[in-house]
Amino acid sequence: MSDNEQIFQKIEATTTSVAETKEFAAQVLKAIGGFSSLNDQKAVVVALSGNLGAGKTIFTQSVAEIVGVKDTVTSPTFVILKRYQITNADFTSRFSDLVHIDAYRLDSGKEMETLGFSFMLNDAHNLILIEWPEKIVDILPKYFFKLTIEHVNETTRHFVFEKVEDGIMAK
């Protein structure tokens, strides 16, 4: 167990701009990097919870920019899933793809299986960000990270990032 793993409880931040959200995303990515034993042979999953307009896609765009995604990142609401190549050398030794999922229109995790979700989870080179994970809680892995985003006002968001080790995500 690394020093990060021993002291990590959760990370909280309140942001008032996209730039501050990007700074927080960098903290989250650094924390994820300290958890090599959490999902050694599996994808790293971050469940993004928050009301409509809370900032899930903005957070995902920030992560994408940091890891070197060259494409424009938009919410995959209608296509459910988008995959992007990670090009930032600081991350490519661990990850090759950023998988962005929006489960808002789904009724259960069974629908994710037609998209090969189990295969994605078993690829340790995937960083998977899931918007509306509450819709597919039945297929989330035992170990994942949860990011709760609260819309405080038009410009302010409150973030709570924590690890989930029992496979149970509080709604």
Side-chain angles (χ1 to χ4, degrees), residues 152-163:
V152 177
N153 62 40
E154 191 60 35
T155 59
T156 307
R157 304 295 186 269
H158 183 75
F159 295 89
V160 178
F161 179 73
E162 54 199 328
K163 62 181 177 175

Side-chain angles (χ1 to χ4, degrees), residues 12-138:
E12 291 190 61
T14 300
T15 67
T16 58
S17 68
V18 173
E20 288 178 2
T21 297
K22 185 177 175 186
E23 289 173 16
F24 178 71
Q27 289 179 358
V28 165
L29 286 167
K30 183 177 180 186
I32 288 171
F35 284 88
S36 58
S37 67
L38 185 64
N39 280 323
D40 277 343
Q41 303 301 315
K42 305 282 185 183
V44 171
V45 175
V46 181
L48 306 174
S49 294
N51 292 333
L52 193 63
K56 297 178 293 293
T57 301
I58 295 292
F59 178 82
T60 300
Q61 290 168 336
S62 296
V63 167
E65 185 178 339
I66 293 165
V67 300
V69 169
K70 302 294 183 201
D71 299 319
T72 300
V73 174
T74 59
S75 183
T77 302
F78 296 102
V79 294
I80 311 298
L81 180 148
K82 290 185 181 177
R83 181 183 293 267
Y84 304 96
Q85 183 179 10
I86 292 174
T87 63
N88 182 329
D90 292 338
F91 298 95
T92 55
S93 64
R94 173 63 170 94
F95 299 113
S96 60
D97 290 308
L98 172 65
V99 179
H100 183 195
I101 296 170
D102 185 331
Y104 183 76
R105 297 185 322 120
L106 302 180
D107 292 320
S108 75
K110 282 184 183 180
E111 295 173 89
M112 284 300 301
E113 286 310 314
T114 61
L115 299 174
F117 188 66
S118 293
F119 179 74
M120 286 178 244
L121 283 177
N122 287 315
D123 185 343
H125 298 291
N126 286 333
L127 173 58
I128 302 173
L129 303 183
I130 305 173
E131 297 187 34
W132 302 101
E134 302 82 4
K135 299 283 204 155
I136 60 170
V137 71
D138 56 314

